[in-house]
Amino acid sequence: DAGITQSPRHKVTETGTPVTLRCHQTENHRYMYWYRQDPGHGLRLIHYSYGVKDTDKGEVSDGYSVSRSKTEDFLLTLESATSSQTSVYFCAISDRAGLYNEQFFGPGTRLTVL
Amino acid sequence: TQLLEQSPQFLSIQEGENLTVYCNSSSVFSSLQWYRQEPGEGPVLLVTVVTGGEVKKLKRLTFQFGDARKDSSLHITAAQPGDTGLYLCAGVGTGTASKLTFGTGTRLQVTL
């Protein structure tokens, strides 16, 4: 299994508070991704990174920001959490783009915003 | 925005039965992947199909990529309880970022 950890695994927070989720990898993969998974929507890409300090938006990036200061860590921040951001968040890594952009996923973080 | 629709959404069958899951889109993808996800865990990659018309077999699972690279199917022969899970297809985009677009998933339950 690819070495990916996410922290925290579970979090309950209140509307309006900032939240940061961490993804840590030990595989030295170049690409890292943040997804959210909601019933009826499958997995949707929030932001991704193609190198240290190189990030770009996905399809549902509003209300989220990311940072990647070193290869192994990719942080997802909800600046002011809202109830619509209640979801399960997955981090994924990949060592290549193109046809074989095969991604390895972390165990997920379940976030509840009250 | 590229969309991938999976059918059926839910499937409950008995051990030994065969089944097929479909993944359809109006968009062309560079390649297509299938993942399986179990409760409380992240998705795990099963296969990548690259060429239009390609068929790949993994034991009792057969994956096919449509000729036009817009659709795919997953066929399971003689399903077992261990096949239970959420099956997700994911299309790899044609842009330089080669981002994945995931289908909505098919939840399969196989009972004894």
Side-chain angles (χ1 to χ4, degrees):
Chain A
D1 292 339
I4 315 172
T5 56
Q6 292 183 231
S7 58
R9 294 293 314 280
H10 302 271
K11 186 170 182 67
V12 180
T13 191
E14 294 187 349
T15 298
T17 60
V19 176
T20 295
L21 308 183
R22 180 183 183 233
C23 177
H24 178 78
Q25 61 146 329
T26 57
E27 304 297 318
N28 200 36
H29 283 359
R30 177 181 175 186
Y31 302 92
M32 298 186 76
Y33 306 83
W34 276 109
Y35 293 90
R36 60 179 289 174
Q37 186 173 34
D38 305 288
H41 290 280
L43 284 152
R44 292 180 291 174
L45 182 64
I46 304 171
H47 282 279
Y48 64 100
S49 170
Y50 46 95
V52 173
K53 297 186 180 179
D54 291 324
T55 64
D56 205 349
K57 296 179 180 180
E59 64 175 305
V60 290
S61 59
D62 287 349
Y64 302 94
S65 62
V66 290
S67 66
R68 191 172 178 196
S69 58
K70 44 187 179 177
T71 300
E72 58 265 36
D73 289 325
F74 193 30
L75 304 180
L76 176 70
T77 297
L78 291 65
E79 301 290 346
S80 178
T82 67
S83 58
S84 65
Q85 293 176 311
T86 292
S87 186
V88 181
Y89 292 85
F90 287 98
C91 174
I93 63 174
S94 174
D95 64 351
R96 67 181 95 175
L99 299 178
Y100 290 97
N101 180 4
E102 297 172 339
Q103 298 185 8
F104 299 94
F105 285 80
T109 294
R110 183 173 294 276
L111 176 67
T112 302
V113 184
L114 302 176
Chain B
T1 302
Q2 296 176 309
L3 296 174
L4 273 170
E5 294 189 4
Q6 286 185 238
S7 62
Q9 285 186 294
F10 302 97
L11 196 53
S12 181
I13 61 173
Q14 291 189 321
E15 183 180 19
E17 293 184 22
N18 302 332
L19 66 115
T20 302
V21 176
Y22 299 94
C23 175
N24 295 294
S25 176
S26 58
S27 303
V28 175
F29 293 100
S30 297
S31 59
L32 198 131
Q33 301 169 358
W34 285 91
Y35 292 80
R36 183 169 73 198
Q37 183 179 19
E38 300 193 16
E41 300 180 7
V44 175
L45 179 69
L46 296 174
V47 76
T48 299
V49 284
V50 174
T51 307
E54 181 178 2
V55 177
K56 274 192 176 178
K57 292 188 177 182
L58 296 176
K59 297 182 181 179
R60 295 177 294 99
L61 277 61
T62 302
F63 305 86
Q64 183 164 8
F65 200 12
D67 291 341
R69 305 205 324 275
K70 294 182 179 180
D71 55 84
S72 181
S73 63
L74 158 61
H75 182 78
I76 300 179
T77 303
Q80 299 177 357
D83 296 326
T84 293
L86 178 66
Y87 288 82
L88 297 161
C89 63
V92 179
T94 55
T96 54
S98 57
K99 293 179 285 188
L100 300 189
T101 298
F102 279 86
T104 50
T106 294
R107 191 165 297 280
L108 171 65
Q109 182 170 14
V110 182
T111 55
L112 294 171

